[in-house]
Amino acid sequence: MVVVGAGQAGLSSAYFLRRAGLGFVVLDRSPGPGGAWRRRWPSLTMSAVHGIHDLPGMRMGETDPDAPAAEVVPRYFADFERAFDLPVLRPVEVRAVRGLPDGRLLVESTAGEWTARALINATGTWERPFWPRYPGQETFRGRQLHTADYTGRDEFAGQRVVVVGGGASAIQLLIEIAEVAETVWVTRRPPRFFPGPFTSEHGRAAVAVVAERVRRGLPPGSVVSATGYPITPEVRRAMDAGVLKRWPMFDRITPTGVAWDDGREIPADVILWCTGFRPVLDHLAPLRLREPGGGIRVEGTRVVRDPRIHLVGYGPSASTIGANRAGRAAVREIRELLGSAAA
């Protein structure tokens, strides 16, 4: 068995593979434990993190709310790998997964090749930031960066910053940057805010929306887009201060800012693209898993076009608690697959 990725989804899957007594290896692209948490911006502290869930079999325990998440979570992941003696190899980049004539899979990587009867893909999205394209983008004389490049608010002090995007990262970074810079918030659609309280029923309903898209073979979208963003005290203060005043999406980018077809124009020194990420799945391309709708159709964690492939941390399981559940489900489904193959 091969697991690709050692973030929350990959480690959860590895834990349940170990419990099931199945032989496996985990191939991870990062140089050290922590998955995407290794690259979170330094100012993201544990008190500001939403939705970290314990890995199975080992609690994270109490943490310093002022400690950077980029330090705390990777340390926890490293402890988890050691505690359960998980065979994680890194840094290893998986370049392609192909089918073999005997029914096994060939996993090609920078560290050699593996054959496997099934594969759990837990690569997440952080390695594939999405950059929209707009007319004039290449003429902008200021700086453009993505959420993935963000390191902290201080580098924007005294500047004019256009923040693009309506998701959780956009709102978090906008509020932070507005403390030191002049900001403008731009989104394609009016943002949705959730007044709360956010219940487990709301969460299940939102996950169901994403799950239905995946079952139909469409790109999954995000759970947050289905729920809206919670109005926390910090968000309420930002609303009252006018920080979360939203502008519609601009039509073009000029050398000195952004502009609309109705004649409006805003000068900018920086455009920060908080426009999300896409699943890292290119290495699965030789298997031709995509549906006409552009996504991969999944039932449970099993890819419909190829039941040897299981996607964990994809679509409805793209959350820490969802990844844990999906890891358990993937191993159960793989045991069923192996049992039927041996029969």
Side-chain angles (χ1 to χ4, degrees):
M1 224 68 56
V2 172
V3 179
V4 185
Q8 184 99 14
L11 293 184
S12 171
S13 300
Y15 171 84
F16 289 111
L17 284 169
R18 176 70 86 206
R19 285 187 58 183
L22 297 174
F24 67 97
V25 65
V26 182
L27 306 180
D28 188 40
R29 183 176 181 178
S30 295
W37 290 102
R38 292 172 56 86
R39 295 179 289 278
R40 301 298 192 197
W41 51 96
S43 58
L44 182 66
T45 62
M46 294 300 293
S47 63
V49 169
H50 299 288
I52 291 183
H53 195 271
D54 291 334
L55 285 161
M58 180 175 164
R59 290 182 54 81
M60 177 184 287
E62 294 297 323
T63 62
D64 179 356
D66 297 323
E71 296 176 6
V72 175
V73 181
R75 186 163 57 243
Y76 169 52
F77 281 17
D79 291 343
F80 185 87
E81 291 179 16
R82 285 191 296 269
F84 296 103
D85 192 25
L86 300 180
V88 182
L89 302 183
R90 57 167 64 92
V92 178
E93 180 178 356
V94 174
R95 291 176 169 168
V97 180
R98 308 180 192 277
L100 292 172
D102 64 3
R104 294 179 300 163
L105 297 164
L106 176 66
V107 182
E108 301 173 357
S109 81
T110 54
E113 297 180 346
W114 281 263
T115 58
R117 297 170 68 187
L119 178 141
I120 294 176
N121 192 82
T123 46
T125 62
W126 191 264
E127 300 287 347
R128 196 182 171 198
F130 174 64
W131 290 75
R133 300 300 303 172
Y134 279 85
Q137 195 163 356
E138 70 285 352
T139 71
F140 183 61
R141 293 198 291 264
R143 181 187 178 199
Q144 298 186 61
L145 72 160
H146 192 274
T147 307
D149 308 309
Y150 183 80
T151 58
R153 67 180 185 182
D154 292 344
E155 61 182 305
F156 306 105
Q159 296 184 311
R160 298 164 298 185
V161 182
V162 174
V163 178
V164 183
S169 293
I171 294 169
Q172 291 171 3
L173 300 191
L174 174 66
I175 292 173
E176 185 170 301
I177 294 170
E179 296 180 2
V180 299
E182 179 183 336
T183 59
V184 171
W185 187 26
V186 176
T187 71
R188 286 193 302 121
R189 292 181 293 271
R192 294 179 58 212
F193 288 97
F194 189 85
F198 188 81
T199 66
S200 57
E201 287 76 14
H202 291 113
R204 284 193 291 269
V207 168
V209 171
V210 179
E212 177 58 25
R213 289 184 58 84
V214 169
R215 280 194 292 270
R216 293 164 55 197
L218 299 174
S222 68
V223 172
V224 170
S225 68
T227 61
Y229 194 84
I231 301 179
T232 63
E234 181 185 35
V235 168
R236 175 58 64 191
R237 288 192 295 270
M239 287 178 168
D240 293 343
V243 171
L244 294 179
K245 175 185 176 183
R246 172 257 180 186
W247 288 60
M249 195 65 204
F250 48 75
D251 296 297
R252 64 188 182 279
I253 299 174
T254 71
T256 58
V258 297
W260 289 258
D261 288 343
D262 62 8
R264 290 179 295 173
E265 186 169 349
I266 290 177
D269 302 300
V270 179
I271 301 175
L272 175 57
W273 297 94
C274 299
T275 43
F277 299 80
R278 298 294 183 266
V280 179
L281 300 171
D282 290 350
H283 53 288
L284 301 178
L287 299 175
R288 301 182 181 276
L289 304 178
R290 292 195 181 274
E291 300 290 334
I296 296 177
R297 192 154 62 98
V298 176
E299 291 287 350
T301 66
R302 175 180 56 85
V303 174
V304 172
R305 285 179 179 254
D306 192 331
R308 299 170 298 179
I309 307 298
H310 293 257
L311 302 186
V312 178
Y314 176 83
S317 65
S319 66
T320 55
I321 188 170
N324 282 3
R325 293 170 176 166
R328 182 195 296 268
V331 172
R332 182 176 62 249
E333 292 170 356
I334 287 172
R335 292 183 70 179
E336 294 171 357
L337 171 71
L338 299 180
S340 63

